[in-house]
Amino acid sequence: IAFIILLAWLFASIATFRHPGKGSVPLKGWRRRMIQTTLTYLTRTLFFVMGFQVKVKGKIASLLEAPIFVAAPHSSFFDAIISALTGMPSIVSRAENLSTPVFGTILSSLQPVSVSRQDPDSRKNTVIEITKRALSRGQWPQILIFPEGTCTNRSCLITFKQGAFVPQVPVQPVLLRYPNKLVKLCVMTLCQLFTRVEVEFLPVHVPTEEEKNDPFLFANRVRQTMATALNVPVTDHTFEDCRLMISAGQLTLPMEAGLVEFTKISKKLNLKWNNVREQLDTFAAIASASKGGRIGIEEFAEYLKLPISDVLRELFLLFDRNGDGTIDFREYVIGLSILCNPANTEETIRMAFKLFDMDEDGTITENEFACIIQSALGVPELDVSMLFKEIDADETGKLSYDEFKDFALKHPEYAKLFTTYLELQRYQLDMLEEDDSESPEVKHSLVRKTTIPVTETPTARNKVCPEGNEEDNLSTSDKKDD
């Protein structure tokens, strides 16, 4: 095996010797023929020596018929057998692999489309490069792409990346089957006398006009065709879900907690990977005291440093989409995106700050903060000192706008509480202004949220803190109407 690999390295070195462009110019003439002939033969020999028995079904499409091969399911580096069967096409590979001794030279001779995970524009540049090669009309070799973007256990087909389908060119689906059961670890595979591999080339899929205009639709239809032929289901999970699963395990959460169908919800909610990864840290901090990686009402209240009240239960139910009494990570992400983040705008934060700043001096005292929180939650005797100290970063006993804004952006869970309270105040003011029969004193005071009076509280100049006036108290039926 080592001799075959070194021989492949030698031919790859000769073919790429003094070749200009370093991957930006296609190999032509004798260089390309040498790679196709020698590496194809050596790769087939290598797999034969390792005990692989390859069975091929279907017809391999030419470069003009299908510039791109899409292969699935992707489960190990043994899947590279497809390269030997298709004339050593270009592949998509990590940029770091090109610097690997020996293997890097062999890989470079295939002129891969390199992907750098450190470059934020790498994904966009990769799609541009794939499109350029697919539309080159034969100047570049065919491209072999594993659209799942990661290895799986072959029990289903996960979401296909759209890179292979953006160029709007015909693609040939390629199926991989391993009838042997022990093809999970390299050592276990090589310990077998032989390993059967079935490679099936399905008919070329020519995109319709609708599919050309929608790469996501194009990818899904090709995936469904392949899943039907393989007789396996499809799932909306992606490589990003695998990364979240690993991160969840590192945070002592059950690994399945990271399964959120990232691509599906990110497309609908315009989510970014880094933001979701940060939310996983917060979720882990909340769920650390619970079992099973889910948040109950108790953990939710403890994280918010608030008591369990009717208002908090209503907020919890907005997150708990399936109504099972707990919040998993997927529900948490969706809840933040739909309920909290849209409400957590600069304008809303500024309005909330003015709401708390009752004496309009540009800062919020603990008494002012407690007044609104107690009224919003309907708990007059609530102790908010711990929550206040967490927001008071400089420990001055007063909250500046910057401190308040920084806390609001880092803890969007509170946004829905405050915006709901703001809407209630607006509603009550509108109702009072429309009621011409009310006295001027009533019109300039807010309706109390609870029937329990809050005593010894100064009247706010911005009229947002409920006054301790018994005439303003609502009956039980009035509260239900509100």
Side-chain angles (χ1 to χ4, degrees), residues 329-474:
F329 182 55
R330 188 174 190 274
E331 292 173 324
Y332 180 75
V333 170
I334 294 174
L336 288 181
S337 301
I338 295 178
L339 302 173
C340 299
N341 289 338
N344 213 27
T345 62
E346 177 81 23
E347 179 184 1
T348 303
I349 294 173
R350 192 173 296 278
M351 289 179 62
F353 183 81
K354 291 181 179 180
L355 175 77
F356 283 98
D357 184 17
M358 294 184 294
D359 58 6
E360 300 178 1
D361 64 348
T363 60
I364 301 172
T365 65
E366 186 172 338
N367 287 337
E368 291 172 328
F369 184 75
C371 179
I372 298 302
I373 293 294
Q374 291 166 353
S375 183
L377 295 177
V379 184
E381 297 179 358
L382 172 64
D383 182 7
V384 297
S385 57
M386 291 183 60
L387 179 58
F388 184 85
K389 289 178 181 178
E390 184 173 343
I391 306 175
D392 185 17
D394 57 8
E395 300 181 354
T396 60
K398 292 184 177 181
L399 305 181
S400 65
Y401 175 71
D402 290 337
E403 287 177 318
F404 186 81
K405 177 183 176 181
D406 183 63
F407 181 82
L409 293 176
K410 291 181 179 178
H411 299 80
E413 299 90 347
Y414 290 92
K416 193 63 180 176
L417 285 174
F418 297 148
T419 53
T420 301
Y421 183 67
L422 283 169
E423 291 300 324
L424 177 62
Q425 298 300 322
R426 291 194 188 113
Y427 170 75
Q428 292 172 342
L429 284 173
D430 291 342
M431 291 297 292
L432 288 173
E433 290 174 359
E434 292 175 3
D435 190 358
D436 294 331
S437 63
E438 293 286 354
S439 62
E441 290 80 5
V442 177
K443 286 184 180 181
H444 289 83
S445 64
L446 294 179
V447 180
R448 286 187 53 83
K449 187 173 181 67
T450 70
T451 59
I452 305 175
V454 181
T455 60
E456 298 182 4
T457 304
T459 304
R461 291 207 301 260
N462 59 7
K463 305 298 181 186
V464 293
C465 184
E467 299 178 27
N469 191 336
E470 293 183 1
E471 295 178 358
D472 291 334
N473 289 343
L474 290 175

Side-chain angles (χ1 to χ4, degrees), residues 34-52:
M34 176 180 285
I35 292 298
Q36 286 182 315
T37 304
T38 59
L39 291 193
T40 296
Y41 174 77
L42 290 173
T43 303
R44 284 174 177 258
T45 303
L46 179 64
F47 275 91
F48 175 78
V49 171
M50 291 191 296
F52 280 80

Side-chain angles (χ1 to χ4, degrees), residues 147-149 157-161 216 220 223 235-238 263:
E148 291 175 296
L157 293 185
I158 64 175
T159 301
F160 281 7
K161 301 287 186 180
F216 183 75
N220 275 346
R223 180 177 65 147
T235 176
D236 288 324
H237 296 104
T238 60
T263 297

